[in-house]
Amino acid sequence: LESAKSKALEQAFESIEELRRSIVEENTIVEDFGSKSDTICNQALEKFTTEAPVTEDTAAYDKKLEELESTIDAPLQVLYLRQLALLREDALSRFRQSTGSEFEAMLSADGA
C-alpha cells in the first residue's frame, strides 16, 4: 500500500509543483484553480486504487487513502490562500486605478 501511495503522490506533486511555480514564483493567477485541484486529487486517488494490491485489511487501505488525501490537500490549501491573496491584490489595484485613492480602495476592498 505504501508503494501505491508513493506513486500516486509523485504524480500529484508534479502537478502541484506546476501550480506552485505559477502562483508563487510567477505571481500569476491560475484560471480554474479549483478544477485543477480536483483533477490532481482525483488522479492521485485513481492511481492509488489501480496500484494498490488487493487486501483484506480495509482499515489499512482506508488509512492510506486518508493519508494520501491529507498529504495532497495541505499544499493545495497553501496555494489556494496564496491565490486568494493575488486575487485581492489584483482587485485592489484595479479599484485604485478607477478611484485614485489608495485609502478608499483599501477600505472598500475590505468591505468597510
Side-chain angles (χ1 to χ4, degrees):
L1 291 177
E2 190 61 37
S3 172
K5 181 181 131 188
S6 295
K7 288 178 183 177
L9 284 174
E10 183 179 325
Q11 178 182 330
F13 285 151
E14 287 175 12
S15 298
I16 291 170
E17 177 57 22
E18 289 176 29
L19 292 175
R20 189 200 66 75
R21 235 179 281 119
S22 294
I23 295 169
V24 176
E25 291 178 12
E26 299 169 9
N27 283 328
T28 327
I29 295 168
V30 174
E31 296 291 325
D32 297 326
F33 178 81
S35 298
K36 290 177 181 179
S37 296
D38 281 344
T39 300
I40 292 169
C41 292
N42 291 334
Q43 287 175 345
L45 294 174
E46 187 176 311
K47 178 84 169 170
F48 177 79
T49 56
T50 58
E51 296 280 335
V54 177
T55 180
E56 301 273 328
D57 189 358
T58 58
Y61 184 87
D62 290 344
K63 182 179 181 204
K64 288 297 175 192
L65 265 179
E66 287 176 19
E67 289 173 6
L68 177 63
E69 288 175 341
S70 64
T71 304
I72 292 170
D73 195 43
L76 287 174
Q77 284 183 1
V78 170
L79 292 176
Y80 172 74
L81 293 174
R82 180 65 184 130
Q83 171 109 335
L84 284 178
L86 287 174
L87 288 166
R88 183 180 182 280
E89 285 176 28
D90 185 53
L92 189 57
S93 174
R94 290 173 191 240
F95 191 76
R96 275 188 206 129
Q97 290 173 357
S98 69
T99 64
S101 169
E102 189 170 323
F103 179 71
E104 288 177 26
M106 285 179 16
L107 288 176
S108 189
D110 288 335

